Amino acid sequence: MNRLGTAAGVLVWLLQCQSGSAQPSISSVANSASYSTSVAQGSIFVVFGFGLGPATLVQTPTYPLTTQLAGTSVKVVAGGTTFPCPIFYTSATVLAAVLPSKTPVGEGSLTVTYNGRTSFSVFIRVAKSAVGIYTLTSSGMGGGIVTGDGYVTKSLLHSARRGEIVTAWATGMGPIEGSDADVPTPGSIFNAEVFVGDRSAKVSYAGRSGCCPGLDQIAFEVPDAPQSCVVPLSIRTSGGSSNFVTLPIADGAQCSNPPPGVPTEFLTRATNGEPLSIGHFSIGPVSILQGAGFSFVQGLAAQLSRALHARVSEADVSRLVRAYRVGNMAQVRRTMAQFAPQLKAADPRTRNVIRAAISGDSQGAGARFGKSSGIGVLTAQLASDFPGAGTCTVVQNLPLGGGIKSSALDAGNTLTVDGPAGRKTMTRIASGQYQALMGTGVSPTSTTTGLYTISGTGGANLGAFSVSLNITSTLVWTNKAAVNTVDRTRPLTVTWSGGPVPGYIVIGGATRSSERAALFICAEDSRKGTFSIPEFVLSALPSAAGTLFLAPHPMNKQVQVPGLDLAFISEGSYDARDVAFQ
């Protein structure tokens, strides 16, 4: 095409965008409650994208739902047949609709048409059952929408009582015989299991709600589970497990038993939408701290530059560490080839420093401080990722964000860390983030025992502080050698020695198949030395190769820092092995 033709094409495209008639674009399709990419027959799903509908959201005014709303229509093609979808609401960036119950199970495609222009089709996976529980944060994580008498939603202020009949609100239980566009006839027509904490609950109803198309209700009796603000709750059907949400249980009173490291007041304030200031200190192997969100690339680049007497960029360090971790030594050699003269002249001690830096065989200290607003989703994620002692949760999808906004907090130009390797300066690598390298040749999985103290003189936002962590023993997974494969249909017992006392440990695992990934986390008092991972937790993971690990709980020790609402100091170490989930 010549330049004139190209310019004309761009002009036409711009005019279409300005007039609101651009072709709709779909970014994702998911269950409207859990945001799982599997969409069940007869369930409510959401479509995210651009140009899907009018700038202002339009909701259907009455039932039955129609297959066209404010110029928007949605169609699914599966098994060679086209199925128009009844629409709940539509807008430019998101719409919600019901997948017809007669849509064939398997692979399909979905398109959105707005004002006569149709999007490119996207892949959709249709399941017979793929239940998702609605949450208070509309993120698929955190507090589930569970109601009791009078349809009062269970919350930190109005917790559930053991023995009470409550109702979880969900979608994706399965197809129905009647209309998917009109209010369905109630009836307990689905087989479902409910798990609360580490207990199975008695189900009294599992079927469509008489309220709305595609909406499911699951009524169950709250079992004699441990009382906590964040008791894990999940539902299992023939299609697998739902998202894991939380249910506060405190016999109807205000909840006062939060998970380790998260005060009840903090949970309440976050739920109320108050802006909160948070700090996190961590000490341990650099490779582990980087996995926890602390970046040591800048410090490693400076260390390598000093050792080689040449500039090593942060990009070089990232490539080296990433290649070394996956065993790609050819990539390591290619990246280091540019420093061949310096390597040839390096003495053995310098070579050891270089090797340790590349392999992550270094120990470090990190700190970060920030003030967040709209952190209901973030708090929900913390509560979901780290359940109460004796319980487990499963994370299968990332939260959508929920309006999280944060700003860094200044704690001064530098901090100091004192430990077994002496005193080190923690430099500010970015606004609100500090780090220090504390020596090489240490264990790549455990932190050197001893007393560590991080202190600062204060800055524009935070006052002077001094926080300490005394690491007295290394956590050891004592029956690790006996665990080669994980039978997902049976409980798995793990045993350990050492770890923080008093304190908690987390037992977890992760696996990824070609279709999905999942992570489970359990928490237990470190003094117990044993924990049995329930079968319903393991069965929620896909069958694939993965990892099991034990680690000190990252929120074991809360500390006080002037200017912060919550701060904790943690030990970054773990004991793990690769396993096969079958």
Side-chain angles (χ1 to χ4, degrees), residues 163-366:
E164 179 184 7
I165 303 297
V166 297
T167 299
W169 297 81
T171 191
M173 294 287 287
I176 61 173
E177 291 297 329
S179 170
D180 291 298
D182 213 343
V183 176
T185 302
S188 187
I189 59 175
F190 301 119
N191 292 321
E193 299 173 279
V194 174
F195 300 96
V196 180
D198 59 347
R199 314 290 170 85
S200 177
K202 182 179 179 181
V203 177
S204 55
Y205 179 89
R208 286 286 193 271
S209 166
C211 151
C212 318
L215 183 64
D216 297 321
Q217 293 179 228
I218 302 89
F220 61 94
E221 180 180 327
V222 179
D224 189 20
Q227 298 188 71
S228 170
C229 297
V230 289
V231 179
L233 165 66
S234 67
I235 299 169
R236 185 167 66 182
T237 66
S238 60
S241 297
S242 70
N243 50 325
F244 278 57
V245 302
T246 60
L247 174 66
I249 301 177
D251 286 347
Q254 181 174 345
C255 180
S256 59
N257 186 15
V262 183
T264 305
E265 179 189 5
F266 183 86
L267 282 178
T268 302
R269 292 175 62 189
T271 302
N272 292 336
E274 296 183 38
L276 297 169
S277 302
I278 307 169
H280 180 200
F281 305 89
S282 193
I283 299 160
V286 166
S287 58
I288 298 175
L289 297 189
Q290 292 211 135
F294 292 98
S295 174
F296 281 80
V297 172
Q298 185 182 70
L300 290 172
Q303 185 184 50
L304 284 172
S305 297
R306 287 193 300 268
L308 290 168
H309 301 288
R311 182 182 179 276
V312 181
S313 70
E314 294 180 19
D316 286 334
V317 171
S318 296
R319 281 193 292 270
L320 286 167
V321 173
R322 185 165 55 247
Y324 194 95
R325 285 180 185 166
V326 298
N328 187 354
M329 300 311 296
Q331 177 63 51
V332 172
R333 287 190 291 270
R334 284 195 297 270
T335 304
M336 292 300 294
Q338 59 187 305
F339 307 108
Q342 292 88 345
L343 284 171
K344 185 176 180 180
D347 57 41
R349 182 177 178 276
T350 300
R351 285 177 175 271
N352 288 336
V353 170
I354 295 169
R355 187 177 299 108
I358 294 172
S359 66
D361 189 15
S362 303
Q363 189 161 286

Side-chain angles (χ1 to χ4, degrees), residues 355-430:
R355 187 177 299 108
I358 294 172
S359 66
D361 189 15
S362 303
Q363 189 161 286
R368 57 189 175 198
F369 314 100
K371 185 173 185 177
S372 299
S373 60
I375 63 171
V377 173
L378 175 61
T379 307
Q381 183 180 359
L382 284 174
S384 294
D385 287 354
F386 301 106
T391 64
C392 306
T393 191
V394 177
V395 179
Q396 301 187 65
N397 299 285
L398 293 176
L400 298 181
I404 299 173
K405 298 179 181 179
S406 63
S407 56
L409 296 176
D410 177 43
N413 291 326
T414 62
L415 309 179
T416 59
V417 54
D418 293 282
R423 171 167 289 191
K424 305 290 182 180
T425 298
M426 298 181 67
T427 58
R428 181 166 54 191
I429 63 166

